[in-house]
Amino acid sequence: MRKIKVHLFVLLLLVSLNYGFTQESDSSIYMDFRNQKITDIIYSVAEVCGKSVLIDETVTGSATFRFEDKDFESAMTRFARHCQLYVENNEGVYFISKVHIENKSNGRLSINTENVQIEPFINMLSRFTNRTILFDNLPNAMITIRVTDASLEDVLNLTIVKLPGFGLERIADGYYITRSSGNMNKRNIDVFTMSDVDGKFTCNIQSASFVNVIDTMFRKAGKEYAFLSKPNINLENMVYQDKDFDELLKLFLYQCNCDFTVQNNIYYIFEVQKKDIVKQFKETRIIQIKNINLDSLSAMFPNEFNAAGFIKYDKNSSSVILTGSPSEIKPIEEFISKIDVPVEGRTYKSYYLDNISAKDAVSAIPKSILISDIILLPSGNGFVTQVTGESEKVLNEYVNLLDNRKKNQAVKLKYIKSEELLKSLPSSARSEHQGVPACKAFRRKYYRNK
């Protein structure tokens, strides 16, 4: 009676599923399927062989396959390889899936799956990890994932990475795969991955809450922490590889003007001023001045250096102390190295003017009496240049002539008007440039001596 039922069942399958089935002496299973559903094929073979099978919702699609096998296990082994299936025999019941998941001792996952629909894959992850995973309507897309020693969060990020508009959000101990529906209802989506291999952390953050990133990091490291203040800041576009725990923690905290201290193996995180963080990236360099005095050096700095904010002078040791970032203090250091050089018979001397501007005086000094370029002082009332014993005397005399201004004295007239007096004065007394003839006379005298 049983054989009659089996033959009737096979005959019906031949009509409805369009496949050929024959039993031959040298083969226990001989079946041919043409473009049939994978689940129907498995159930048909199991029915013929008298086996119990459980197929989860990840198994979809159709296949064309010819069975020529001795037994059910060999038939399923070949068919599973053909359709990227995974078969597990548990006390005579065959569990069949398109997803193979292993749970490591550290709670991390190893997953291998090819061409599986997203929604059933996420449902399977939720059951396997016993974690809540909520999601909005997902597109009917196929994914392939092969990971080793990954967290559930990493797997979920890989699952949705190619879905436009979707993001992953952590809620309590679960996850929510959500789709933004516009600026008014936009949620704060965390999109980041973080892994820990032998104490070395690697992370890729597209956009994530600072608090959630820190929480994930401490969970992976198995460490305890406490927020003394909790900045509401988002971390964006950060990629770091193979960083120590403390090193990566500092990189995150610096983004949010925070620092930490460790007491009794607990990390206490607190806010600090931005300037206190910036101080850690500034350098201090001490330069010993050997060939010029500090006063002359300070007067020679060009205005564009704005050096006052980076320099301090120690006259006791004749040293210059530079403090700032490398880009701030390097030009100053190079300038000092060019100025502080041994020059035999030469010294730097500063000249200060009372009656005319340094710029006007410098333009009037002949180049022939100078042995080096003139550097104007930032105050505008003086300049610095190199001199020798001989040139100093000449330059002193010339500068004194340029800066000479005769004192004016008021004269009260009793019997005539000032206009009449001026008309009576000789032309030389009416000159408004009394210093010019003297300068011309000096030039004639100087060049004649030369």
Side-chain angles (χ1 to χ4, degrees):
M1 189 67 180
R2 177 177 176 80
K3 289 182 179 180
I4 293 173
K5 290 181 179 180
V6 171
H7 285 296
L8 286 174
F9 173 75
V10 172
L11 183 60
L12 290 172
L13 287 176
L14 283 170
V15 176
S16 61
L17 299 179
N18 187 26
Y19 71 86
F21 168 72
T22 58
Q23 285 290 122
E24 298 182 357
S25 58
D26 60 343
S27 178
S28 299
I29 305 174
Y30 187 89
M31 306 175 72
D32 190 13
F33 294 88
R34 295 285 186 268
N35 194 28
Q36 301 302 317
K37 289 184 178 180
I38 294 176
T39 53
D40 290 344
I41 294 173
I42 296 173
Y43 284 131
S44 299
V45 177
E47 179 68 23
V48 170
C49 297
K51 300 295 183 180
S52 297
V53 294
L54 288 176
I55 306 174
D56 66 26
E57 70 263 43
T58 64
V59 180
T60 59
S62 302
T64 296
F65 194 78
R66 177 188 293 272
F67 289 91
E68 294 182 2
D69 301 278
K70 296 291 185 182
D71 52 40
F72 180 76
E73 286 197 6
S74 60
M76 282 296 99
T77 299
R78 286 200 313 114
F79 187 62
R81 189 182 307 116
H82 176 71
C83 297
Q84 296 89 40
L85 302 175
Y86 297 93
V87 182
E88 181 182 354
N89 184 358
N90 189 356
E91 297 181 356
V93 179
Y94 291 84
F95 295 87
I96 301 174
S97 176
K98 289 200 75 171
V99 181
H100 178 67
I101 304 179
E102 291 183 12
N103 197 351
K104 302 294 184 179
S105 58
N106 58 359
R108 302 174 71 81
L109 304 172
S110 292
I111 299 176
N112 203 332
T113 183
E114 183 173 342
N115 294 327
V116 64
Q117 290 185 347
I118 292 181
E119 187 170 329
F121 173 67
I122 293 175
N123 288 331
M124 185 175 181
L125 278 177
S126 179
R127 288 194 299 269
F128 189 88
T129 59
N130 196 29
R131 302 281 291 277
T132 299
I133 305 176
L134 307 174
F135 50 84
D136 293 335
N137 291 332
L138 298 171
N140 189 21
M142 311 293 284
I143 58 171
T144 297
I145 293 181
R146 308 186 200 281
V147 295
T148 302
D149 196 33
S151 67
L152 175 60
E153 188 171 331
D154 295 341
V155 175
L156 290 175
N157 276 311
L158 284 174
T159 303
I160 66 172
V161 69
K162 296 186 69 175
L163 299 184
F166 281 86
L168 182 66
E169 182 176 0
R170 288 191 58 177
I171 300 177
D173 198 36
Y175 295 91
Y176 178 30
I177 299 174
T178 180
R179 185 170 192 169
S180 175
S181 58
N183 292 332
M184 295 299 296
N185 298 319
K186 187 174 181 180
R187 304 173 65 92
N188 293 324
I189 307 302
D190 286 348
V191 182
F192 73 100
T193 59
M194 183 176 295
S195 60
D196 171 20
V197 180
D198 297 330
K200 296 290 185 179
F201 286 80
T202 297
C203 72
N204 188 333
I205 301 174
Q206 296 182 33
S207 177
S209 164
F210 165 75
V211 174
N212 287 346
V213 170
I214 295 298
D215 182 70
T216 300
M217 182 179 176
F218 273 89
R219 286 178 181 271
K220 290 182 180 295
K223 298 179 183 291
E224 296 178 304
Y225 72 98
F227 276 119
L228 300 183
S229 59
K230 193 177 292 186
N232 185 21
I233 296 178
N234 231 41
L235 300 176
E236 295 182 348
N237 302 323
M238 301 177 67
V239 179
Y240 299 110
Q241 294 183 340
D242 298 330
K243 302 296 182 185
D244 292 331
F245 179 84
D246 284 3
E247 181 182 8
L248 183 59
L249 179 60
K250 285 183 179 180
L251 290 172
F252 289 147
L253 296 181
Y254 288 162
Q255 300 293 320
C256 306
N257 296 335
C258 290
D259 204 349
F260 73 92
T261 185
V262 182
Q263 295 184 9
N264 299 325
N265 295 324
I266 298 177
Y267 285 73
Y268 292 92
I269 298 173
F270 50 88
E271 289 186 273
V272 295
Q273 295 292 323
K274 185 176 182 179
K275 62 181 181 180
D276 295 327
I277 294 177
V278 174
K279 288 177 183 176
Q280 302 182 43
F281 302 99
K282 291 190 174 182
E283 299 181 7
T284 298
R285 302 179 187 175
I286 301 176
I287 302 175
Q288 186 80 28
I289 305 301
K290 300 178 181 178
N291 302 293
I292 58 177
N293 61 64
L294 295 181
D295 292 334
S296 299
L297 176 64
S298 64
M300 286 187 286
F301 279 116
N303 293 335
E304 59 267 23
F305 278 4
N306 191 23
F310 310 108
I311 293 181
K312 288 188 176 181
Y313 301 96
D314 183 5
K315 293 186 178 181
N316 293 329
S317 61
S318 187
S319 300
V320 174
I321 303 171
L322 304 180
T323 302
S325 67
S327 60
E328 290 171 332
I329 64 178
K330 185 177 179 180
I332 302 174
E333 187 176 21
E334 291 177 350
F335 179 81
I336 293 175
S337 66
K338 293 178 181 179
I339 294 296
D340 186 30
V341 294
V343 180
E344 294 183 0
R346 295 187 180 188
T347 59
Y348 282 97
K349 183 173 181 180
S350 302
Y351 289 88
Y352 297 92
L353 303 165
D354 297 324
N355 301 308
I356 61 173
S357 68
K359 186 176 180 181
D360 292 339
V362 169
S363 64
I365 296 175
K367 299 293 183 182
S368 56
I369 69 174
L370 298 173
I371 62 173
S372 69
D373 292 336
I374 290 177
I375 301 174
L376 292 174
L377 297 177
S379 61
N381 67 335
F383 61 89
V384 177
T385 188
Q386 282 187 352
V387 294
T388 61
E390 181 181 355
S391 68
E392 182 180 1
K393 293 179 181 179
V394 178
L395 187 57
N396 288 346
E397 185 177 353
Y398 200 90
V399 170
N400 289 335
L401 285 173
L402 289 173
D403 196 37
N404 181 32
R405 175 176 293 177
K406 295 183 178 180
K407 294 182 180 180
N408 296 325
Q409 184 174 356
V411 178
K412 292 184 179 181
L413 302 176
K414 296 182 179 180
Y415 305 107
I416 61 173
K417 295 181 179 180
S418 58
E419 291 83 356
E420 295 177 358
L421 175 63
L422 291 175
K423 290 179 181 179
S424 302
L425 289 174
S427 58
S428 60
R430 291 198 298 267
S431 175
E432 296 177 357
H433 305 283
Q434 298 297 324
V436 173
C439 291
K440 291 181 178 179
F442 176 83
R443 287 196 184 101
R444 287 196 298 268
K445 175 184 176 183
Y446 173 75
Y447 286 116
R448 187 167 54 249
N449 293 336
K450 295 288 284 187

